[in-house]
Short mmCIF file of all heavy atoms in Angstrom, two decimals:
data_model
loop_
_atom_site.label_atom_id
_atom_site.label_comp_id
_atom_site.label_asym_id
_atom_site.label_seq_id
_atom_site.Cartn_x
_atom_site.Cartn_y
_atom_site.Cartn_z
N ALA A 41 15.12 -1.01 12.06
CA ALA A 41 15.89 -0.02 11.36
C ALA A 41 15.41 0.20 10.01
O ALA A 41 15.30 1.23 9.44
CB ALA A 41 17.42 -0.24 11.56
N GLU A 42 15.20 -1.02 9.35
CA GLU A 42 14.75 -0.99 8.01
C GLU A 42 13.34 -0.33 7.87
O GLU A 42 13.08 0.48 6.87
CB GLU A 42 14.60 -2.45 7.40
CG GLU A 42 16.07 -2.98 7.22
CD GLU A 42 16.04 -4.61 6.79
OE1 GLU A 42 14.93 -5.18 7.01
OE2 GLU A 42 17.03 -5.05 6.42
N ALA A 43 12.41 -0.67 8.78
CA ALA A 43 11.11 -0.10 8.69
C ALA A 43 11.15 1.43 8.94
O ALA A 43 10.40 2.19 8.30
CB ALA A 43 10.24 -0.72 9.75
N GLN A 44 12.02 1.85 9.90
CA GLN A 44 12.17 3.36 10.00
C GLN A 44 12.66 4.06 8.82
O GLN A 44 12.37 5.12 8.47
CB GLN A 44 13.01 3.47 11.33
CG GLN A 44 12.39 3.13 12.60
CD GLN A 44 13.37 3.32 13.76
OE1 GLN A 44 14.52 2.77 13.76
NE2 GLN A 44 12.93 3.83 14.76
N ALA A 45 13.73 3.33 8.11
CA ALA A 45 14.22 3.98 6.96
C ALA A 45 13.22 4.04 5.78
O ALA A 45 13.09 5.01 5.08
CB ALA A 45 15.40 3.05 6.44
N SER A 46 12.41 3.02 5.69
CA SER A 46 11.30 2.95 4.64
C SER A 46 10.23 4.07 4.99
O SER A 46 9.93 4.79 4.10
CB SER A 46 10.61 1.67 4.72
OG SER A 46 9.61 1.51 3.65
N ALA A 47 9.99 4.21 6.22
CA ALA A 47 8.94 5.29 6.62
C ALA A 47 9.59 6.70 6.27
O ALA A 47 8.92 7.65 5.83
CB ALA A 47 8.64 5.15 8.06
N ALA A 48 10.88 6.80 6.44
CA ALA A 48 11.63 8.11 6.15
C ALA A 48 11.54 8.40 4.66
O ALA A 48 11.31 9.58 4.19
CB ALA A 48 13.02 8.06 6.72
N VAL A 49 11.74 7.33 3.90
CA VAL A 49 11.67 7.51 2.32
C VAL A 49 10.25 8.11 2.05
O VAL A 49 10.10 9.03 1.20
CB VAL A 49 11.79 6.20 1.71
CG1 VAL A 49 11.48 6.31 0.23
CG2 VAL A 49 13.38 5.84 1.78
N MET A 50 9.20 7.61 2.69
CA MET A 50 7.82 8.02 2.37
C MET A 50 7.34 9.21 3.13
O MET A 50 6.27 9.78 3.04
CB MET A 50 6.86 6.98 2.65
CG MET A 50 7.05 5.59 1.83
SD MET A 50 5.80 4.46 2.02
CE MET A 50 6.07 3.96 3.70
N GLN A 51 8.32 9.78 4.01
CA GLN A 51 7.93 10.91 4.86
C GLN A 51 6.82 10.64 5.76
O GLN A 51 5.85 11.49 5.89
CB GLN A 51 7.73 12.18 4.02
CG GLN A 51 9.02 12.66 3.33
CD GLN A 51 8.67 13.96 2.53
OE1 GLN A 51 8.02 13.91 1.48
NE2 GLN A 51 9.24 15.12 3.05
N ALA A 52 6.81 9.40 6.30
CA ALA A 52 5.68 8.93 7.17
C ALA A 52 6.10 8.96 8.57
O ALA A 52 7.28 8.69 8.90
CB ALA A 52 5.26 7.56 6.77
N VAL A 53 5.22 9.09 9.53
CA VAL A 53 5.50 8.92 10.84
C VAL A 53 5.40 7.38 11.19
O VAL A 53 4.47 6.61 10.71
CB VAL A 53 4.27 9.50 11.69
CG1 VAL A 53 4.52 9.32 13.25
CG2 VAL A 53 4.29 11.07 11.55
N TRP A 54 6.44 6.91 11.88
CA TRP A 54 6.61 5.50 12.11
C TRP A 54 6.19 5.17 13.55
O TRP A 54 6.46 5.90 14.41
CB TRP A 54 8.09 5.04 11.89
CG TRP A 54 8.36 3.55 12.22
CD1 TRP A 54 8.15 2.54 11.40
CD2 TRP A 54 9.01 3.16 13.37
NE1 TRP A 54 8.57 1.44 11.87
CE2 TRP A 54 9.01 1.68 13.18
CE3 TRP A 54 9.45 3.70 14.54
CZ2 TRP A 54 9.55 0.82 14.11
CZ3 TRP A 54 9.91 2.78 15.57
CH2 TRP A 54 10.05 1.44 15.31
N HIS A 55 5.49 4.05 13.63
CA HIS A 55 5.06 3.52 14.95
C HIS A 55 5.65 2.15 15.22
O HIS A 55 5.56 1.31 14.34
CB HIS A 55 3.53 3.47 15.02
CG HIS A 55 2.85 4.79 14.86
ND1 HIS A 55 2.56 5.64 15.92
CD2 HIS A 55 2.48 5.51 13.75
CE1 HIS A 55 2.03 6.78 15.47
NE2 HIS A 55 1.95 6.72 14.15
N ALA A 56 6.15 2.03 16.42
CA ALA A 56 6.79 0.74 16.77
C ALA A 56 5.97 -0.47 16.83
O ALA A 56 4.78 -0.39 17.16
CB ALA A 56 7.69 0.87 18.05
N PRO A 57 6.55 -1.62 16.51
CA PRO A 57 5.78 -2.85 16.69
C PRO A 57 5.42 -3.21 18.08
O PRO A 57 6.13 -2.81 18.98
CB PRO A 57 6.71 -3.90 15.95
CG PRO A 57 8.10 -3.39 16.07
CD PRO A 57 7.96 -1.88 16.03
N ILE A 58 4.40 -4.00 18.21
CA ILE A 58 3.93 -4.38 19.62
C ILE A 58 3.79 -5.96 19.79
O ILE A 58 3.52 -6.35 20.81
CB ILE A 58 2.53 -3.82 19.87
CG1 ILE A 58 1.58 -4.14 18.86
CG2 ILE A 58 2.70 -2.26 19.87
CD1 ILE A 58 0.09 -3.61 19.11
N CYS A 59 4.08 -6.68 18.78
CA CYS A 59 4.09 -8.10 18.79
C CYS A 59 5.33 -8.71 18.18
O CYS A 59 5.98 -8.09 17.33
CB CYS A 59 2.75 -8.66 18.09
SG CYS A 59 1.27 -8.15 18.73
N ASN A 60 5.55 -10.07 18.43
CA ASN A 60 6.54 -10.77 17.68
C ASN A 60 5.85 -11.60 16.65
O ASN A 60 4.57 -11.81 16.62
CB ASN A 60 7.37 -11.67 18.61
CG ASN A 60 8.34 -10.97 19.40
OD1 ASN A 60 8.97 -9.94 18.98
ND2 ASN A 60 8.51 -11.38 20.64
N ASP A 61 6.71 -12.04 15.59
CA ASP A 61 6.10 -12.86 14.50
C ASP A 61 5.42 -14.04 15.03
O ASP A 61 5.81 -14.64 16.02
CB ASP A 61 7.27 -13.27 13.55
CG ASP A 61 7.76 -12.14 12.81
OD1 ASP A 61 7.20 -11.09 12.88
OD2 ASP A 61 8.70 -12.34 12.08
N LEU A 62 4.28 -14.48 14.40
CA LEU A 62 3.48 -15.65 14.75
C LEU A 62 2.89 -15.42 16.17
O LEU A 62 2.34 -16.41 16.77
CB LEU A 62 4.31 -16.92 14.64
CG LEU A 62 4.79 -17.24 13.31
CD1 LEU A 62 5.46 -18.63 13.29
CD2 LEU A 62 3.72 -17.22 12.20
N GLN A 63 2.82 -14.15 16.65
CA GLN A 63 2.15 -13.94 17.87
C GLN A 63 1.27 -12.71 17.76
O GLN A 63 0.99 -11.96 18.86
CB GLN A 63 3.19 -13.65 19.03
CG GLN A 63 4.06 -14.85 19.32
CD GLN A 63 5.12 -14.62 20.37
OE1 GLN A 63 5.29 -13.51 20.97
NE2 GLN A 63 5.84 -15.69 20.70
N VAL A 64 0.82 -12.41 16.64
CA VAL A 64 -0.18 -11.39 16.38
C VAL A 64 -1.51 -12.04 16.63
O VAL A 64 -2.16 -12.54 15.72
CB VAL A 64 -0.05 -10.79 14.99
CG1 VAL A 64 -1.06 -9.66 14.82
CG2 VAL A 64 1.34 -10.29 14.69
N PHE A 65 -2.01 -12.00 17.83
CA PHE A 65 -3.25 -12.53 18.22
C PHE A 65 -4.33 -11.43 18.37
O PHE A 65 -4.14 -10.31 18.73
CB PHE A 65 -3.15 -13.29 19.52
CG PHE A 65 -2.10 -14.48 19.37
CD1 PHE A 65 -1.11 -14.43 20.31
CD2 PHE A 65 -2.18 -15.28 18.35
CE1 PHE A 65 -0.17 -15.44 20.28
CE2 PHE A 65 -1.18 -16.37 18.37
CZ PHE A 65 -0.17 -16.42 19.19
N TYR A 66 -5.56 -11.82 18.08
CA TYR A 66 -6.71 -10.95 18.22
C TYR A 66 -7.18 -11.14 19.75
O TYR A 66 -8.03 -11.96 20.05
CB TYR A 66 -7.85 -11.29 17.29
CG TYR A 66 -9.04 -10.38 17.37
CD1 TYR A 66 -9.04 -9.14 16.74
CD2 TYR A 66 -10.26 -10.76 18.07
CE1 TYR A 66 -10.04 -8.33 16.87
CE2 TYR A 66 -11.28 -9.93 18.14
CZ TYR A 66 -11.29 -8.66 17.47
OH TYR A 66 -12.28 -7.76 17.59
N ASP A 67 -6.46 -10.37 20.63
CA ASP A 67 -6.76 -10.56 22.03
C ASP A 67 -6.75 -9.20 22.69
O ASP A 67 -6.51 -8.21 21.99
CB ASP A 67 -5.70 -11.41 22.65
CG ASP A 67 -4.19 -10.92 22.44
OD1 ASP A 67 -4.04 -9.69 22.20
OD2 ASP A 67 -3.28 -11.59 22.72
N ASP A 68 -7.18 -9.22 23.92
CA ASP A 68 -7.43 -8.00 24.61
C ASP A 68 -6.21 -7.03 24.80
O ASP A 68 -6.24 -5.95 24.55
CB ASP A 68 -7.99 -8.26 26.12
CG ASP A 68 -8.32 -6.92 26.77
OD1 ASP A 68 -9.23 -6.33 26.50
OD2 ASP A 68 -7.55 -6.75 27.74
N ARG A 69 -5.04 -7.65 25.06
CA ARG A 69 -3.83 -6.86 25.33
C ARG A 69 -3.42 -6.22 23.98
O ARG A 69 -3.21 -5.03 24.02
CB ARG A 69 -2.71 -7.89 25.67
CG ARG A 69 -1.32 -7.19 25.79
CD ARG A 69 -0.30 -8.25 26.10
NE ARG A 69 1.07 -7.68 25.96
CZ ARG A 69 1.73 -7.55 24.79
NH1 ARG A 69 1.17 -7.98 23.76
NH2 ARG A 69 2.96 -7.07 24.83
N THR A 70 -3.46 -6.94 22.89
CA THR A 70 -3.01 -6.36 21.64
C THR A 70 -3.97 -5.25 21.16
O THR A 70 -3.55 -4.25 20.76
CB THR A 70 -2.86 -7.42 20.56
OG1 THR A 70 -1.97 -8.41 21.13
CG2 THR A 70 -2.23 -6.84 19.30
N LEU A 71 -5.33 -5.53 21.25
CA LEU A 71 -6.29 -4.71 20.73
C LEU A 71 -6.18 -3.33 21.49
O LEU A 71 -6.34 -2.22 20.91
CB LEU A 71 -7.65 -5.24 21.00
CG LEU A 71 -8.84 -4.39 20.51
CD1 LEU A 71 -8.71 -4.20 19.01
CD2 LEU A 71 -10.17 -5.23 20.78
N ARG A 72 -6.00 -3.34 22.90
CA ARG A 72 -5.89 -2.07 23.62
C ARG A 72 -4.70 -1.20 23.13
O ARG A 72 -4.79 0.02 23.14
CB ARG A 72 -5.92 -2.30 25.04
CG ARG A 72 -7.16 -2.91 25.63
CD ARG A 72 -7.12 -3.08 27.13
NE ARG A 72 -8.37 -3.81 27.63
CZ ARG A 72 -9.50 -3.22 27.78
NH1 ARG A 72 -9.68 -1.84 27.68
NH2 ARG A 72 -10.57 -3.86 28.33
N ARG A 73 -3.65 -1.89 22.76
CA ARG A 73 -2.41 -1.15 22.30
C ARG A 73 -2.65 -0.51 20.91
O ARG A 73 -2.17 0.57 20.65
CB ARG A 73 -1.23 -2.06 22.42
CG ARG A 73 -0.92 -2.55 23.86
CD ARG A 73 0.36 -3.41 23.91
NE ARG A 73 1.55 -2.62 23.72
CZ ARG A 73 2.77 -3.07 23.68
NH1 ARG A 73 2.93 -4.44 23.74
NH2 ARG A 73 3.74 -2.37 23.55
N VAL A 74 -3.28 -1.38 20.00
CA VAL A 74 -3.46 -0.79 18.62
C VAL A 74 -4.48 0.37 18.78
O VAL A 74 -4.34 1.37 18.14
CB VAL A 74 -4.09 -1.88 17.76
CG1 VAL A 74 -4.38 -1.26 16.33
CG2 VAL A 74 -3.03 -3.06 17.68
N ALA A 75 -5.55 0.26 19.68
CA ALA A 75 -6.48 1.31 19.80
C ALA A 75 -5.88 2.58 20.30
O ALA A 75 -6.30 3.63 19.86
CB ALA A 75 -7.65 0.85 20.63
N ALA A 76 -4.86 2.50 21.08
CA ALA A 76 -4.14 3.76 21.51
C ALA A 76 -3.51 4.39 20.49
O ALA A 76 -3.54 5.68 20.44
CB ALA A 76 -3.18 3.30 22.63
N VAL A 77 -2.90 3.64 19.53
CA VAL A 77 -2.31 4.29 18.40
C VAL A 77 -3.33 5.01 17.39
O VAL A 77 -3.19 6.06 16.97
CB VAL A 77 -1.41 3.29 17.51
CG1 VAL A 77 -0.92 3.89 16.30
CG2 VAL A 77 -0.35 2.70 18.38
N VAL A 78 -4.47 4.28 17.24
CA VAL A 78 -5.49 4.92 16.39
C VAL A 78 -6.03 6.20 17.10
O VAL A 78 -6.16 7.16 16.32
CB VAL A 78 -6.66 3.86 16.25
CG1 VAL A 78 -7.86 4.50 15.60
CG2 VAL A 78 -6.23 2.62 15.48
N ARG A 79 -6.24 6.22 18.36
CA ARG A 79 -6.72 7.46 19.03
C ARG A 79 -5.69 8.45 18.86
O ARG A 79 -5.97 9.73 18.72
CB ARG A 79 -7.17 7.12 20.48
CG ARG A 79 -8.45 6.44 20.64
CD ARG A 79 -8.73 6.16 22.09
NE ARG A 79 -10.11 5.52 22.17
CZ ARG A 79 -10.59 5.23 23.35
NH1 ARG A 79 -10.01 5.39 24.52
NH2 ARG A 79 -11.85 4.60 23.39
N GLU A 80 -4.48 8.10 19.04
CA GLU A 80 -3.35 9.14 19.09
C GLU A 80 -3.31 9.79 17.66
O GLU A 80 -3.13 11.01 17.53
CB GLU A 80 -2.00 8.51 19.38
CG GLU A 80 -0.81 9.38 19.40
CD GLU A 80 0.40 8.64 19.72
OE1 GLU A 80 0.40 7.78 20.57
OE2 GLU A 80 1.50 9.05 19.15
N VAL A 81 -3.36 8.97 16.61
CA VAL A 81 -3.28 9.49 15.23
C VAL A 81 -4.53 10.29 14.79
O VAL A 81 -4.57 11.24 14.12
CB VAL A 81 -2.93 8.24 14.29
CG1 VAL A 81 -2.97 8.87 12.87
CG2 VAL A 81 -1.59 7.80 14.65
N ASN A 82 -5.72 9.70 15.22
CA ASN A 82 -7.00 10.29 14.82
C ASN A 82 -7.23 10.39 13.34
O ASN A 82 -7.31 11.46 12.80
CB ASN A 82 -7.22 11.53 15.60
CG ASN A 82 -8.63 12.01 15.43
OD1 ASN A 82 -9.54 11.30 15.25
ND2 ASN A 82 -8.89 13.30 15.72
N PRO A 83 -7.14 9.21 12.65
CA PRO A 83 -7.11 9.26 11.20
C PRO A 83 -8.46 9.50 10.55
O PRO A 83 -9.52 9.22 11.10
CB PRO A 83 -6.66 7.86 10.82
CG PRO A 83 -7.16 7.00 11.93
CD PRO A 83 -7.04 7.86 13.20
N SER A 84 -8.43 9.94 9.26
CA SER A 84 -9.58 10.05 8.41
C SER A 84 -9.70 8.91 7.51
O SER A 84 -10.68 8.54 6.93
CB SER A 84 -9.51 11.38 7.72
OG SER A 84 -9.65 12.48 8.45
N ILE A 85 -8.55 8.19 7.23
CA ILE A 85 -8.40 7.01 6.45
C ILE A 85 -7.51 5.95 7.09
O ILE A 85 -6.50 6.32 7.58
CB ILE A 85 -7.79 7.36 4.98
CG1 ILE A 85 -8.62 8.32 4.21
CG2 ILE A 85 -7.49 6.11 4.32
CD1 ILE A 85 -8.04 8.85 2.91
N VAL A 86 -8.07 4.74 7.13
CA VAL A 86 -7.23 3.69 7.66
C VAL A 86 -7.06 2.65 6.64
O VAL A 86 -8.05 2.16 5.99
CB VAL A 86 -7.92 2.95 8.88
CG1 VAL A 86 -7.26 1.73 9.26
CG2 VAL A 86 -8.06 4.03 10.06
N LEU A 87 -5.73 2.36 6.15
CA LEU A 87 -5.42 1.32 5.28
C LEU A 87 -4.81 0.13 6.02
O LEU A 87 -3.92 0.29 6.64
CB LEU A 87 -4.39 1.90 4.35
CG LEU A 87 -4.71 3.22 3.59
CD1 LEU A 87 -3.49 3.61 2.69
CD2 LEU A 87 -5.99 3.12 2.79
N THR A 88 -5.44 -1.07 5.82
CA THR A 88 -5.09 -2.30 6.42
C THR A 88 -4.98 -3.40 5.61
O THR A 88 -5.31 -3.36 4.37
CB THR A 88 -5.74 -2.33 7.76
OG1 THR A 88 -5.19 -3.43 8.54
CG2 THR A 88 -7.26 -2.78 7.42
N HIS A 89 -4.63 -4.59 6.18
CA HIS A 89 -4.64 -5.82 5.41
C HIS A 89 -5.94 -6.24 4.86
O HIS A 89 -6.98 -5.85 5.36
CB HIS A 89 -4.01 -6.93 6.30
CG HIS A 89 -2.52 -6.94 6.48
ND1 HIS A 89 -1.66 -7.46 5.50
CD2 HIS A 89 -1.71 -6.45 7.34
CE1 HIS A 89 -0.33 -7.32 5.87
NE2 HIS A 89 -0.33 -6.66 7.01
N SER A 90 -5.98 -7.19 4.02
CA SER A 90 -7.10 -7.89 3.61
C SER A 90 -7.66 -8.87 4.76
O SER A 90 -6.74 -9.48 5.39
CB SER A 90 -6.88 -8.70 2.32
OG SER A 90 -7.94 -9.59 2.02
N PRO A 91 -8.92 -9.03 4.93
CA PRO A 91 -9.38 -10.00 5.92
C PRO A 91 -9.13 -11.44 5.49
O PRO A 91 -9.09 -12.41 6.29
CB PRO A 91 -10.96 -9.74 5.90
CG PRO A 91 -11.16 -8.44 5.33
CD PRO A 91 -10.02 -8.30 4.35
#
Side-chain angles (χ1 to χ4, degrees):
E42 290 173 343
Q44 289 173 312
S46 182
V49 167
M50 294 189 292
Q51 296 181 286
V53 178
W54 178 81
H55 298 269
I58 58 175
C59 300
N60 285 325
D61 289 355
L62 299 183
Q63 295 178 1
V64 180
F65 300 128
Y66 185 79
D67 59 15
D68 181 70
R69 172 186 173 276
T70 308
L71 184 59
R72 292 184 188 277
R73 297 182 72 184
V74 177
V77 175
V78 173
R79 286 181 174 180
E80 180 181 325
V81 173
N82 193 15
S84 299
I85 294 172
V86 172
L87 308 178
T88 189
H89 280 279
S90 170

